[in-house]
Amino acid sequence: MASPYNIVVIVGSIRKESFTLKIANTLAKLAPASLKLDVTTLQGISFFNQDLEATPPADWLAFREKLQKSNGVLFVTPEYNRSIPGVLKNAIDVGSRPYGKSSFLGKPTGIVSNSPGPLGGVSAAKHLQNILPGISGPIMGQPEIYLNAIGDAFDDRGECSKETLLKVMQQYIDAYAAFVEKQNK
Ligand code: FNR
């Protein structure tokens, strides 16, 4: 088999027991053999500051390089105040520069939102769909995925125990794998 496509999974929460992180890890386990998911948390990414663009911090350069070397980017995000968390917006700003040379460019992109609440973080996902088009690659339109009521979905070891949730995550990651395959041809 050809070597798997390397997908950077950007986790929009830096909380230790983050549901978003658990979802990202579950997707990594469910992914077909054609994908290798690199679950990436955003601790240690310096605040974006245009003053630093001429001499970017090492953490910005490392993050950009990781994106550039990837075959796709999968955003997994919670919703904060009907949008995406600040840490995620900061990382997107870092990855989007220098102007015209966004590290997300050309990367087949997926968006997975979640919430313990009833709406599945749909507003955060919609905001990502507004932010990304000018700086990213193609965004997979179908299927959409907004995971709701995820508060009781994981056991103490971070394993997902809800069959319905596993099923939609499996469908999503299989569709994303096909999308990545098509875009990388
Ligand atoms: C939230 N939460 C939340 N949930 C939601 O569905 N819509 C929202 O607008 C918000 N807003 C919001 C703002 C702030 C500042 C916090 C801290 C939380 C609840 C949120 O979904 C919940 O805390 C999740 O557990 C956060 O994701 P992680 O850290 O578990 O991945």
Side-chain angles (χ1 to χ4, degrees), residues 10 42 45 59-67 91 94-95 104:
I10 299 183
L42 302 173
I45 298 196
D59 62 84
W60 291 8
L61 295 175
F63 181 60
R64 289 171 183 166
E65 193 183 355
K66 185 180 234 200
L67 293 168
V94 168
F104 299 104

Side-chain angles (χ1 to χ4, degrees), residues 13 15 17-21 78-82 114-117 121:
S13 168
R15 190 169 77 87
E17 289 298 323
S18 162
F19 296 124
T20 307
L21 177 60
E79 181 173 287
Y80 275 10
N81 297 314
R82 298 286 176 253
N114 76 88
S115 173

Side-chain angles (χ1 to χ4, degrees), residues 13-95:
S13 168
I14 55 174
R15 190 169 77 87
K16 224 179 336 158
E17 289 298 323
S18 162
F19 296 124
T20 307
L21 177 60
K22 290 171 187 170
I23 288 165
N25 287 331
T26 305
L27 287 167
K29 281 185 209 151
L30 296 174
S34 64
L35 298 186
K36 183 174 167 296
L37 268 55
D38 179 358
V39 175
T40 301
T41 52
L42 302 173
Q43 286 97 340
I45 298 196
S46 310
F47 276 141
F48 182 77
N49 176 348
Q50 243 185 308
D51 290 341
L52 303 181
E53 287 205 282
T55 53
D59 62 84
W60 291 8
L61 295 175
F63 181 60
R64 289 171 183 166
E65 193 183 355
K66 185 180 234 200
L67 293 168
Q68 286 159 19
K69 285 184 173 164
S70 77
N71 304 108
V73 179
L74 187 56
F75 290 89
V76 185
T77 187
E79 181 173 287
Y80 275 10
N81 297 314
R82 298 286 176 253
S83 187
I84 59 170
V87 286
L88 177 54
K89 182 59 164 62
N90 184 62
I92 292 171
D93 292 340
V94 168

